[in-house]
Amino acid sequence: MFLVGLLVAVAAFIAAGCGGGGGGGAPEALPSSSCTAIEYEGDGNPDYIVASDFPLQGSSRTQTVQINDAIRFELKQRSFKAGKYKIGFQACDDATAQAGKWDSGKASQNANAYAANDKVIGVIGTFNSGAAAIEIPVLNQAPNGGIAMISPANTYVCLTQGGPGCDKTEPDKYYPSGTRNYARVVANDAYQGAAVAEFAQSKGIKKVYVLNDKEAYGLGVATNFRNAATSLGIEIAGFEAWDPKASSYEALFKKIQGTGADAVFLGGLIDENGAQVIKDKVAVLGPNDGKVKLFAPDGFTTQQTIDEAGPAAKGMFMSVAGVPIDKFAGPAKEFAQKFEADYLKGKPIDPYAIYGAQAAQVLFDAIANSDGSRGDVIKQMFATQVTDGLLGSFKFNANGDPQDASGAVVGFTIYVATDKLTTETTISPKPEVVTAAAGG
């Protein structure tokens, strides 16, 4: 028994020496079951870990791999330092192979690992709003003031503000400590719903059938689009969910055919069997540049949609926050050129890469300006004012949403699917339509 006890004691000592609190040693890495090894190219050992949390399996991988590379790019530009603090990076996966997308259990497991590791000073993520809804409250209650979390992609309105369309417990249930720890660099779906509705109106749409994938994001953006379209006088022919596990949607589209709708809106993700939905839409209602148009939000705005849906994707319209990739200027253009040369090797840059880089810049600056405590990083993140940044100029309101924004933060690009994402137009939605989209 003594021998066993001694071995246990030795093991505990080693663990403590490698742990987060151990005076100047290497920080304990987040679990390898979810995360890469600590990536660090500076002197000595990193003082802190910044983790990213995205689905690295499934259809979203095309986008999230580029977001992680954008974070690496920003970190290398800073020689793996944020001010006086040395920063290591771990890219963590909130997806499972079985789900083929983000997974609620994995998201919870990751969040608890971040909270338990006292060297984790900030998290960049999530990609999916449903995952954010799970992780925000865990990081909000993390020891030493909570952990700063900043997303380049979450657009579900109710993560940060309440009102019509939100559950009465939102958003307070995400912030059990009573203080905010979450911000995002992307406009919420009230803006996106308004932008797509205005574009649909410009295309002469009179009657639209609205579908969603049952996820928080998909239902949310579908609701925002419905509200905005109604305010613009577009009739709503129907509003329902598609079953992501179904093998065919032809019966659904035959029902839609009977309503006389001249457009369909897909609120959701390509991950949720979106390619089959697109194929069956075209099989029943005809090509997307025909009598029944097809619109989709940023959950579909990726080359993966075109690749997976094949010829059926042609002519569908897809939206995403920001200016067109080929219209980047100033710091954004400079970033895109260097990023493409360093990481993409001829592949097209995804719109979300630049959002990932902007989110990383905000977090690294907040760490640099802090006293090194988790709580102060959150305080500095909310005090951030970005001037002529990658996405333009903005600051955060008390809810963590961009405020006083100009440039890409409040603009939306509408792409049409050809063999790639081809720019159709850009829209900055009218404030009154955004208000209507939010349910006001």
Side-chain angles (χ1 to χ4, degrees):
M1 289 296 295
F2 174 77
L3 177 59
V4 172
L6 178 61
L7 290 174
V8 169
V10 170
F13 174 78
I14 293 172
C18 295
E28 181 179 5
L30 292 162
S32 60
S33 56
S34 292
C35 308
T36 62
I38 296 175
E39 301 175 36
Y40 178 68
E41 298 177 9
D43 297 331
N45 295 312
D47 299 312
Y48 297 110
I49 295 170
V50 166
S52 70
D53 190 287
F54 302 116
L56 300 178
Q57 303 172 73
S59 298
S60 297
R61 176 177 166 80
T62 301
Q63 296 159 301
T64 56
V65 166
Q66 285 203 25
I67 296 174
N68 273 335
D69 283 343
I71 296 168
R72 293 184 176 100
F73 176 90
E74 291 297 331
L75 203 47
K76 287 185 178 182
Q77 296 295 306
R78 297 167 184 250
S79 301
F80 286 78
K81 296 186 72 175
K84 64 182 180 181
Y85 305 112
K86 297 181 288 187
I87 304 298
F89 172 61
Q90 288 190 264
C92 302
D93 187 1
D94 63 21
T96 63
Q98 183 178 16
K101 64 184 185 70
W102 79 273
D103 177 83
S104 58
K106 194 73 173 294
S108 176
Q109 176 185 321
N110 286 358
N112 281 288
Y114 308 146
N117 187 322
D118 66 0
K119 291 298 185 183
V120 175
I121 196 74
V123 173
I124 301 172
T126 61
F127 189 73
N128 299 98
S129 294
I134 292 170
E135 298 198 23
I136 292 171
V138 177
L139 301 192
N140 183 259
Q141 300 177 92
N144 303 318
I147 298 176
M149 181 175 174
I150 183 163
S151 172
N154 297 153
T155 52
Y156 178 50
V157 173
C158 311
L159 288 175
T160 58
Q161 64 186 63
C166 300
D167 186 88
K168 63 182 180 182
T169 62
E170 293 177 315
D172 291 349
K173 69 177 182 180
Y174 303 124
Y175 307 99
S177 75
T179 60
R180 298 293 183 112
N181 64 308
Y182 169 83
R184 52 187 168 191
V185 297
V186 62
N188 66 45
D189 282 331
Y191 288 84
Q192 181 163 217
V196 180
E198 288 187 19
F199 175 68
Q201 184 187 47
S202 75
K203 301 300 286 185
I205 301 303
K206 304 296 183 186
K207 192 173 185 180
V208 61
Y209 207 100
V210 182
L211 296 174
N212 72 83
D213 65 1
K214 302 181 182 180
E215 295 276 346
Y217 159 75
L219 176 59
V221 71
T223 302
N224 297 135
F225 171 79
R226 177 183 62 181
N227 294 344
T230 300
S231 77
L232 294 171
I234 298 174
E235 183 181 350
I236 305 300
F239 187 96
E240 67 177 293
W242 78 78
D243 179 0
K245 296 181 179 178
S247 58
S248 171
Y249 302 98
E250 292 198 3
L252 172 62
F253 284 109
K254 286 177 180 175
K255 183 174 76 171
I256 293 173
Q257 191 174 39
T259 68
D262 57 3
V264 175
F265 177 85
L266 304 179
L269 300 167
I270 181 63
D271 294 15
E272 301 291 350
N273 209 10
Q276 190 62 48
V277 174
I278 295 168
K279 291 176 182 176
D280 287 348
K281 180 272 172 191
V282 171
V284 176
L285 300 177
N288 301 318
D289 55 2
K291 292 182 179 179
V292 183
K293 304 293 190 293
L294 183 61
F295 300 86
D298 59 330
F300 282 86
T301 312
T302 168
Q303 183 64 33
Q304 203 71 16
T305 296
I306 296 171
D307 294 344
E308 292 185 6
K314 182 181 179 183
M316 71 177 289
F317 297 111
M318 295 175 274
S319 60
V320 70
V323 299
I325 294 168
D326 56 0
K327 300 297 182 185
F328 284 164
K333 183 177 182 179
E334 184 179 347
F335 163 80
Q337 290 174 336
K338 291 182 179 178
F339 183 68
E340 287 177 321
D342 290 354
Y343 287 94
L344 300 183
K345 312 302 181 189
K347 296 180 181 177
I349 186 171
D350 188 274
Y352 272 113
I354 199 163
Y355 281 83
Q358 182 69 82
Q361 288 186 0
V362 170
L363 181 59
F364 295 149
D365 287 346
I367 295 170
N369 294 329
S370 76
D371 63 9
S373 68
R374 285 175 165 179
D376 202 44
V377 172
I378 294 171
K379 179 181 176 182
Q380 297 301 328
M381 180 174 73
F382 275 85
T384 296
Q385 294 198 34
V386 176
T387 303
D388 295 329
L390 298 177
L391 298 176
S393 299
F394 64 95
K395 60 183 180 181
F396 296 109
N397 64 19
N399 294 331
D401 283 319
Q403 177 177 289
D404 299 336
S406 64
V409 178
V410 291
F412 282 82
T413 298
I414 306 294
Y415 292 100
V416 61
T418 57
D419 59 343
K420 61 181 180 181
L421 297 174
T422 300
T423 302
E424 176 77 8
T425 189
T426 58
I427 291 179
S428 292
K430 299 181 181 71
E432 61 270 26
V433 184
V434 175
T435 299

